[in-house]
Amino acid sequence: MILIDGYNLLWAVKQTGQTTGLPDDVELCRILGRYLKQIGQSGEIIFDGIGPPDKTGFDNITNLEIIFSGQNSDADTVIEDKIKANSAPKSLTVVSSDRRLRDAAHSRKAASAKSQVFWNDVQKELSKKEKLDEPTQKQQGLTESETQQWLNIFGIED
């Protein structure tokens, strides 16, 4: 399970020096969902506040639960509580450049990653081609006799 400090990661993404194509919070979540699916993990991203009034943009994002801390808390506190409450903290990775959260992770023997390092890992992983589980025949194509057989079936002359 990966716990992500949402606005901390979004801030780190904006510090990359990229001037175009920077994601907003919804697009960031979609990117993270694809990343988590590709690596076979699940995660939670926690944002400060109550979020936008219309949260439909966050619908249908796989492998990632989107959480807003609410008005009476902040993302750091929610993440700390999740670290404390986790029954298997060694299986957690906490993503934040905030020392408070990284210390909380280390105190429970959970892994942590600075936001910029994590974002670089996300970009590298998503740039890899997805593994194809296709049969060899599909990649090699039809044999000459199979091609002829299909041409005959459809009544197409050679």
Side-chain angles (χ1 to χ4, degrees):
M1 165 75 78
I2 300 175
L3 293 176
I4 303 165
D5 184 348
Y7 287 125
N8 188 278
L9 178 59
L10 197 56
W11 182 85
V13 170
K14 291 182 181 195
Q15 298 305 307
T16 61
Q18 227 179 309
T19 56
T20 59
L22 290 173
D24 61 5
D25 50 2
V26 172
E27 183 57 25
L28 177 68
C29 290
R30 291 190 187 289
I31 291 167
L32 293 173
R34 285 194 311 269
Y35 166 75
L36 291 167
K37 183 177 180 185
Q38 194 162 314
I39 65 167
Q41 286 276 334
S42 63
E44 295 178 358
I45 188 165
I46 299 91
F47 291 103
D48 291 309
I50 60 171
D54 180 12
K55 294 179 180 62
T56 57
F58 295 103
D59 291 346
N60 301 319
I61 296 176
T62 59
N63 296 56
L64 182 67
E65 183 178 351
I66 295 97
I67 300 168
F68 293 94
S69 66
Q71 290 179 324
N72 300 324
S73 189
D74 61 19
D76 291 0
T77 302
V78 172
I79 293 169
E80 277 184 324
D81 290 346
K82 286 180 170 291
I83 294 168
K84 288 176 190 171
N86 194 285
S87 61
K90 288 182 181 180
S91 67
L92 283 178
T93 299
V94 176
V95 176
S96 180
S97 294
D98 186 325
R99 178 173 278 296
R100 170 183 161 190
L101 292 179
R102 291 197 334 269
D103 287 347
H106 289 187
S107 72
R108 296 277 333 265
K109 297 189 177 17
S112 70
K114 288 187 175 183
S115 293
Q116 185 60 52
V117 172
F118 176 75
W119 183 249
N120 291 340
D121 291 345
V122 168
Q123 296 301 301
K124 284 179 196 169
E125 182 65 34
L126 291 176
S127 68
K128 293 178 184 177
K129 282 189 173 181
E130 288 188 42
K131 297 175 186 158
L132 298 176
D133 292 331
E134 296 178 338
T136 307
Q137 298 87 338
K138 184 174 178 183
Q139 294 191 12
Q140 292 175 347
L142 299 174
T143 64
E144 187 64 37
S145 63
E146 290 170 326
T147 302
Q148 192 57 51
Q149 187 176 16
W150 281 110
L151 290 172
N152 291 341
I153 289 171
F154 289 108
I156 301 171
E157 295 292 324
D158 227 0

